[in-house]
Amino acid sequence: MKLRRLAGAGLIAGAATLGYALAEAHWYTLRRVLAPVLPAGARPIKVLHLSDMHLTARQRRKVEWVKALAALEPELVVVTGDNYAFADAMELALEALEPHLARPGAFVFGSNDYYSAILKNPAAYLFGPTDSEPERQRDLPTEAFRQVLTRAGWSDLNNARGQLELGPERLATDLVGLADPHLDWDRMPDPVSHSQAALVLGLVHAPYLRAVDRLVADQARLVLAGHTHGGQVGLPLYGALVSNSDLPARLAAGLHRWRSTDSFLHVSAGLGTSPYAPVRLACRPEASLITLVPADA
Ligand SMILES: [Fe+2]
């Protein structure tokens, strides 16, 4: 009898936690971060970091929320991949980004910009990196999506470099990015001299150690990544248990100094989840407004 009561209580607690986690997946939040990466004396620069929207055709509220972020008037918008879950949501993803396309921007893609979402065992996520889609046909309209962004002047940084002049002081900035390491598609672009650049920014979807190391070795002062979903299901007051990569789970979201360098890694916990595991626990869906400030500020 006692056992049955205990089992009943466990079931109720489980159902309540699931209900909460289903709700939390819709509590979009803006996280504000200061990143001390600019040269001394430079004026602050606002960077909006969007990641892992995983949009489906029914997620209009998320679209409106992302569109409204244009009011922050960032000087740069970066998107670190996994924009939409199925082909029928591509237009919606473009609608979400549309008000941002008037600003300078840069992007890399994640596996879910090439392959639509498929049903996997959600528990597998807790026991190491998930499969990286090796044998499937690419079934998303990747090139059509890419074209809209590049025609707006955004830098496509999938194994590529870019340059822009950032903020009111037109700070010479070099950009470098990698295609998704979760798919093993990351190849460093040819080396260049950054002697004219006041700042180097790196982008990659999945923050595998080798990828962040290579971007930092290429002099990126700040590397921006997504993919982890901040662990997606964390423990309250403890945080992420996994990063879905070889990155330590404690780095699965937020800004952290990279090893013993002067560089930083910023991981966005992202705005979505796989449509087949639409839960988040102790890990709100987020966009980040990163204010770049001088390192000595
Ligand atoms: Fe993702």
Side-chain angles (χ1 to χ4, degrees):
M1 194 63 185
K2 204 172 176 186
L3 207 66
R4 200 185 288 172
R5 227 181 273 159
L6 253 176
L11 270 179
I12 290 168
T17 306
L18 179 63
Y20 179 91
L22 282 163
E24 182 170 335
H26 299 277
W27 295 343
Y28 312 122
T29 329
L30 181 70
R31 189 161 50 75
R32 292 173 191 265
V33 192
L34 278 185
V37 295
L38 293 185
R43 300 226 310 256
I45 293 171
K46 286 187 289 184
V47 179
L48 178 64
H49 184 182
L50 301 171
S51 201
D52 295 81
M53 288 196 292
H54 290 275
L55 270 169
T56 63
R58 296 173 54 183
Q59 294 177 332
R60 174 133 298 276
R61 212 184 122 245
K62 191 190 291 181
V63 172
E64 297 304 328
W65 193 86
V66 172
K67 283 165 76 175
L69 296 173
L72 297 167
E73 302 190 340
E75 274 117 356
L76 173 69
V77 181
V78 299
V79 175
T80 47
D82 280 7
N83 290 288
Y84 50 99
F86 304 107
D88 66 357
M90 182 190 79
E91 290 298 331
L92 217 53
L94 288 174
E95 186 187 332
L97 295 180
E98 201 278 329
H100 302 285
L101 293 179
R103 305 206 162 260
F107 66 96
V108 287
F109 286 147
S111 54
N112 289 141
D113 294 295
Y114 301 95
Y115 301 96
S116 57
I118 51 165
L119 185 60
K120 294 177 189 163
N121 174 6
Y125 186 88
L126 291 174
F127 300 105
T130 49
D131 283 351
S132 50
E133 328 286 358
E135 308 303 339
R136 287 171 68 204
Q137 279 284 358
R138 294 191 203 174
D139 58 348
L140 291 180
T142 311
E143 296 316 313
F145 190 82
R146 188 198 311 268
Q147 224 175 63
V148 175
L149 271 50
T150 52
R151 279 197 183 144
W154 281 24
S155 296
D156 173 357
L157 297 180
N158 289 291
N159 294 338
R161 296 183 183 277
Q163 280 182 322
L164 46 82
E165 292 175 335
L166 210 51
E169 294 177 316
R170 307 183 68 80
L171 203 73
T173 304
D174 283 356
L175 306 169
V176 53
L178 290 168
D180 190 7
H182 196 61
L183 296 167
D184 216 6
W185 290 357
D186 49 311
R187 305 287 178 268
M188 248 346 244
D190 290 341
V192 294
S193 152
H194 295 297
S195 59
Q196 302 300 313
L199 176 68
V200 182
L201 295 176
L203 263 67
V204 65
H205 173 65
Y208 279 80
L209 297 173
R210 66 172 189 276
V212 183
D213 278 337
R214 279 178 200 153
L215 294 171
V216 168
D218 197 79
Q219 295 181 40
R221 281 301 300 279
L222 176 63
V223 175
L224 300 130
H227 175 74
T228 64
H229 303 178
Q232 192 163 324
V233 177
L235 291 179
L237 304 176
Y238 179 85
L241 302 171
V242 291
S243 73
N244 199 15
S245 66
D246 61 2
L247 187 76
R250 69 187 161 78
L251 307 182
L255 184 78
H256 294 92
R257 189 176 281 277
W258 188 248
R259 304 190 194 271
S260 51
T261 68
D262 287 339
S263 296
F264 289 83
L265 169 67
H266 181 262
V267 183
S268 167
L271 279 160
T273 68
S274 158
Y276 299 112
V279 292
R280 297 180 71 119
L281 192 61
C283 177
R284 296 273 185 97
E286 66 173 29
S288 332
L289 187 69
I290 307 169
T291 303
L292 311 184
V293 294
D296 59 356

